[in-house]
Amino acid sequence: MDNLKAEMQRNGLTVKDIMMTIGCSEKTARNKINGETDFTYPEAERVRNTLFPGLRMEYLFHAQPSKSA
């Protein structure tokens, strides 16, 4: 979720903004932002439509491939 994190920083948004937008706990929001758990499609759509209306879903929620040792 590097793109989501970068856009949050660029726009001065916090974990709390994501939490309030999708209606979850702060821990759940952090887990989703950090890629530990997935955003549901409706959650992702709500985040994009509410906080990042000019950006594409594919860009915002692009998961970086995990680095193997």
Side-chain angles (χ1 to χ4, degrees):
M1 297 292 152
D2 291 343
N3 294 342
L4 176 60
K5 290 179 191 177
E7 292 300 333
M8 286 172 65
Q9 188 172 14
R10 234 176 250 130
N11 290 282
L13 298 172
T14 65
V15 172
K16 187 172 183 177
D17 295 308
I18 301 292
M19 177 184 89
M20 300 295 284
T21 301
I22 62 175
C24 66
S25 70
E26 183 174 345
K27 180 170 178 49
T28 298
R30 280 189 195 285
N31 287 344
K32 289 176 183 281
I33 293 165
N34 290 327
E36 294 172 29
T37 55
D38 292 332
F39 281 90
T40 64
Y41 187 82
E43 288 171 342
E45 197 171 43
R46 198 171 310 128
V47 167
R48 194 277 311 266
N49 291 346
T50 304
L51 302 174
F52 307 102
L55 299 177
R56 294 173 48 116
M57 294 274 283
E58 296 85 356
Y59 165 75
L60 267 182
F61 297 98
H62 175 74
Q64 304 297 330
S66 57
K67 298 174 184 167
S68 21

